[in-house]
């Protein structure tokens, strides 16, 4: 296969690739480019209005469309995160190049509501959106935002039922594939694209526990509060909470507790160093949505990963992690793991290189889009 055109419509500009969804988009584009695809990348955005050289290098063309931000759109029966991603220019640019379309998430599918489109269509499903927004609503503390997320969940409950326009749906996890398979037989599990090329050859012991996540998100803020309450009971162990947001929130939660620190993440290299020096990555979620990318990142770049059931649903990946589903279990596991040397590098590398290899998974995706991969 060479020089095969493909439209990809993304919910956001995927660079910098510094949060879950855009990480999958950016490294998927990169892997498909390396297979010979000519990517015509269409990106909706709110505040990422610059095309980085890293994106230009792996695409044939890039188009940016600002999201439509009108209060009146809240009253549409179409989910707000869908209807705000509309552009007449997108319709024109799609029709200018005869190629299949890969929609990155249901958020990007407003095109199907506004224009006749004969191109072959594929959907990369990033979440079961009705569950995702219901989970955000449950974690949100502001009453108005809670209400908005609740109604967004209800709108998606109907919107996500119609998958007929898509020749294939690609899910991020077996959990999501199980749900989608009740709506269509044209569904396949394609693991997340993540950009890690090799497992860090670590051994021995790290010096602290690490939690990293976007603290703008209600679920992550709830997790941070939960972990702070645990480590107040574990004064002999240090917890580092790393994020590009939320410092004042964490400082308020920890109230000067000496063994809990906040690390402001400004670049990827900083997080990589924190992962290399950590002994236990404590990764928790109150929402179930398949395998979280932060777990994959920690497995490639760090030592022990202590998770709850909501973090991973791929059995092969689950076997590489330590499990705890209660506060008591978290405390017991931390105390146990700090007595151990990390010696799992080789066995972990064997699993991850086979299961979460971006090049192999790009070949899988290409074959499912009915291409012959060289």
């Amino acid at each position: 296969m060479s020089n095969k055109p493909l439209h990809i419509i993304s919910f956001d500009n995927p660079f910098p690739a510094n949060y879950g969804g855009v990480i999958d988009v950016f490294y998927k584009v990169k892997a498909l480019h390396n297979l010979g695809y000519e990517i015509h990348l269409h990106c909706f955005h709110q505040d990422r209005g610059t095309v980085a050289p890293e994106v230009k290098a792996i695409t044939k063309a890039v188009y940016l469309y600002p999201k439509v931000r009108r209060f009146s759109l809240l009253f549409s029966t179409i989910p707000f995160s869908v209807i705000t991603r509309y552009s007449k220019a997108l319709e024109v640019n799609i029709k200018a190049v005869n190629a299949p379309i890969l929609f990155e998430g249901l958020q990007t599918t407003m095109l199907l509501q506004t224009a006749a489109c004969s191109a072959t269509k594929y959907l990369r499903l990033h979440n079961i959106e009705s569950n995702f927004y219901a989970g955000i609503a449950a974690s949100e503390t502001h009453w108005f935002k809670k209400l908005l997320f609740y109604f967004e969940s209800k709108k998606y409950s109907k919107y996500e039922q119609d998958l007929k326009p898509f020749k294939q749906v690609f899910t991020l996890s077996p959990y999501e594939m199980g749900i989608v398979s009740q709506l269509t037989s044209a569904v396949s599990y394609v693991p997340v694209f993540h950009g890690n090329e090799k497992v860090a050859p670590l051994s021995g012991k790290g010096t602290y526990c690490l939690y990293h996540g976007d603290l703008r998100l209600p679920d992550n803020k709830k997790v941070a509060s939960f972990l702070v309450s645990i480590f107040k009971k574990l004064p002999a162990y240090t917890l580092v909470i790393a994020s590009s947001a939320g410092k004042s929130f964490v400082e308020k939660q920890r109230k000067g507790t000496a063994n809990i620190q906040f690390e402001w993440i400004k670049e990827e290299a900083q997080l990589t160093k924190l992962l290399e020096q950590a002994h236990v990555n404590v990764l928790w979620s109150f929402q179930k949505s398949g395998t979280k990318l932060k777990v994959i990142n920690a497995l490639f770049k760090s030592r022990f990963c202590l998770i709850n059931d909501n973090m991973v649903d791929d059995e092969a990946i689950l076997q590489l992690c330590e499990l705890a589903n209660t506060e008591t279990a978290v405390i017991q596991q931390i105390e146990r793991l700090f007595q151990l040397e990390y010696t799992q590098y080789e066995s972990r590398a064997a699993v991850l290189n086979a299961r979460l290899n971006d090049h192999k998974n790009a070949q899988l995706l290409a074959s499912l889009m009915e291409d012959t991969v060289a």
Side-chain angles (χ1 to χ4, degrees), residues 192 219 285 287-297 310-312:
V192 68
D219 183 59
S285 179
Q287 290 181 239
K288 184 174 180 62
S289 60
T291 297
K292 303 287 197 300
L293 214 153
K294 66 180 70 175
V295 177
I296 293 169
N297 207 28
N310 289 343
M311 294 300 297
V312 170

Side-chain angles (χ1 to χ4, degrees), residues 235-263:
Y237 303 94
T238 298
L239 171 66
V240 176
I241 298 176
S243 182
S244 59
K247 181 177 181 178
S248 59
F249 171 78
V250 173
E251 293 295 340
K252 184 178 179 180
Q253 294 291 312
R254 77 183 190 93
K255 293 180 181 176
T257 307
N259 66 316
I260 301 172
Q261 304 168 11
F262 179 84
E263 187 78 21

